[in-house]
Amino acid sequence: MMSDAFIFLLCLGAFALLLAAMGRHQPDWFGAKLARSLSLSLRAGGFGLLFAAWLVAGFTQGFAYGTVVWCGWMTVAALVVIVVNFNRDILLKYLRR
C-alpha cells in the first residue's frame, strides 16, 4: 500500500532526526556538536514526524489497526537507522567512491 510506504518514510525521517539530535552522534555525522537550540528543534521535528506517521496510519487504516501498523514500521525504521549509524564509516567510504 502507498500509505504503508509513506508511514515508513515518515518514521525513517523521524528516527534520523532523533539520531541527529543526540549529542554523542553529532560529532560523528557533523564534525562537531550542534547548538542546543538546533538539537531541540531536531528532537521536536523527530517526535512531530512520529506523530504525523501515527495520524496517517490511523486515518488510512483505522486507529486500532493503524497503531499496530505504525509500531511495526517504527520498529523497521529504527532498525534501519541503527544499522546505518553502526556502519557509517563503511557507507561514507562507499559513497565517496
Side-chain angles (χ1 to χ4, degrees):
M1 276 182 158
M2 195 61 142
S3 63
D4 282 341
F6 189 56
I7 294 165
F8 169 71
L9 290 175
L10 286 172
C11 290
L12 186 65
F15 283 113
L17 288 175
L18 290 172
L19 174 91
M22 296 177 71
R24 66 178 162 214
H25 297 298
Q26 291 170 354
D28 294 336
W29 286 98
F30 306 115
K33 286 187 89 171
L34 302 176
R36 181 166 167 72
S37 60
L38 182 55
S39 291
L40 291 175
S41 297
L42 290 169
R43 186 175 301 147
F47 284 118
L49 283 179
L50 285 177
F51 181 68
W54 178 72
L55 287 177
V56 169
F59 284 122
T60 59
Q61 301 178 12
F63 281 96
Y65 181 70
T67 300
V68 174
V69 169
W70 175 67
C71 287
W73 285 122
M74 272 199 325
T75 303
V76 172
L79 288 172
V80 168
V81 170
I82 288 168
V83 167
V84 167
N85 188 47
F86 186 74
N87 295 304
R88 181 185 60 84
D89 294 330
I90 296 168
L91 292 171
L92 289 177
K93 187 185 300 182
Y94 177 77
L95 290 174
R96 288 183 182 143
R97 270 203 256 161

